[in-house]
Amino acid sequence: MNLEGKVAYITGGTKGIGYGIAESLLSKGMKVAISGRSQNSVDEAVKGLKDNENVLGLVSDVAKLKDEEHAVEAILNKWGQLDVVMANAGVGNFVPVDEMSEETWHQMIDTNLNGVFHTLKASVEALKKSEGYYMTLASLAGTNFFAGGAAYNATKFGVVGFTQAAMLDLRKYNIKTTTIMPGSVASHFNDHEPSEKDAWKIQPEDIGQMVVDLLMMHPRTLPSKIEVRPTRPDLK
């Protein structure tokens, strides 16, 4: 894919991994829409991105299909096309299953799992027209379960399965589909504040570079599922 002038939509793009992906795509001459759940966070992210003339900030809660439909409509109204969609928005709440509230369970399912479906549902017709690329941000927790992770594991196992099945459904339209499964990332996930202590972790710009590499790959080749880990976790 020639990235110059192409249009991308990144959910959860106001900080962390989503923000890092936005920076990487902008550096390649792409136009980028980012979404978040609050106007303040969206405004701050747009100001922080260097090439904000090619950035569109949108308020959208991926747990609501209508929000995602409105977001995609705004992108098409502004730029007339949509070539890349990154379903990145996610939340984490780690608690033993016997202590988990129904509210926590539904929040995780609605954002992490329903959200990736809503984002694809809202954008798939535009991706058919552009023969574009749909990506999801899963996790190594999508194949590796752990104590206290019942809800998070359930959502990420679901994201991996959903994306792989979607890949089989969509490739006949020349839509590429990939799920990226990172291990520890130096991000704001779960209210974490990145610091020098996180230097051993994957950095958001590393995921951004990975997305660029995927987009630049020859159309005949599709890495449909990518696991990525810190090289030296023993440095923590």
Side-chain angles (χ1 to χ4, degrees), residues 67-176:
D67 278 17
E68 285 298 273
E69 289 175 339
H70 291 155
V72 170
E73 182 180 9
I75 295 166
L76 295 176
N77 286 340
K78 184 173 179 64
W79 288 316
Q81 67 191 71
L82 181 55
D83 305 285
V84 179
V85 174
M86 182 71 197
N88 167 75
V91 295
N93 195 319
F94 306 103
V95 61
V97 67
D98 56 311
E99 299 174 15
M100 188 187 307
S101 68
E102 183 181 15
E103 180 183 10
T104 294
W105 173 261
H106 284 294
Q107 180 196 34
M108 298 280 283
I109 296 293
D110 288 345
T111 300
N112 294 3
L113 185 53
N114 291 344
V116 300
F117 167 69
H118 292 159
T119 301
L120 179 58
K121 183 68 175 176
S123 63
V124 68
E125 294 305 320
L127 291 175
K128 287 179 182 179
K129 290 179 181 178
S130 65
E131 296 188 349
Y133 211 132
Y134 174 69
M135 300 184 191
T136 62
L137 201 288
S139 169
L140 290 181
T143 54
N144 302 284
F145 51 84
F146 56 90
Y152 190 71
N153 283 139
T155 62
K156 293 304 183 179
F157 270 70
V159 169
V160 172
F162 171 81
T163 311
Q164 293 291 275
M167 178 268 296
L168 298 177
D169 290 338
L170 298 178
R171 60 184 177 179
K172 64 186 177 185
Y173 303 108
N174 292 322
I175 298 174
K176 283 187 164 188

Side-chain angles (χ1 to χ4, degrees), residues 24-86:
S24 295
L25 298 187
L26 286 167
S27 73
K28 298 300 180 182
M30 292 185 67
K31 300 172 182 178
V32 179
I34 59 172
S35 69
R37 287 185 291 180
S38 77
Q39 189 67 60
N40 286 342
S41 67
V42 170
D43 291 344
E44 285 300 311
V46 170
K47 289 178 184 177
L49 291 167
K50 295 178 182 178
D51 189 5
N52 55 34
E53 290 184 359
N54 287 320
V55 178
L56 175 63
L58 301 165
V59 177
S60 179
D61 181 353
V62 298
K64 301 173 183 176
L65 176 58
K66 286 295 182 184
D67 278 17
E68 285 298 273
E69 289 175 339
H70 291 155
V72 170
E73 182 180 9
I75 295 166
L76 295 176
N77 286 340
K78 184 173 179 64
W79 288 316
Q81 67 191 71
L82 181 55
D83 305 285
V84 179
V85 174
M86 182 71 197

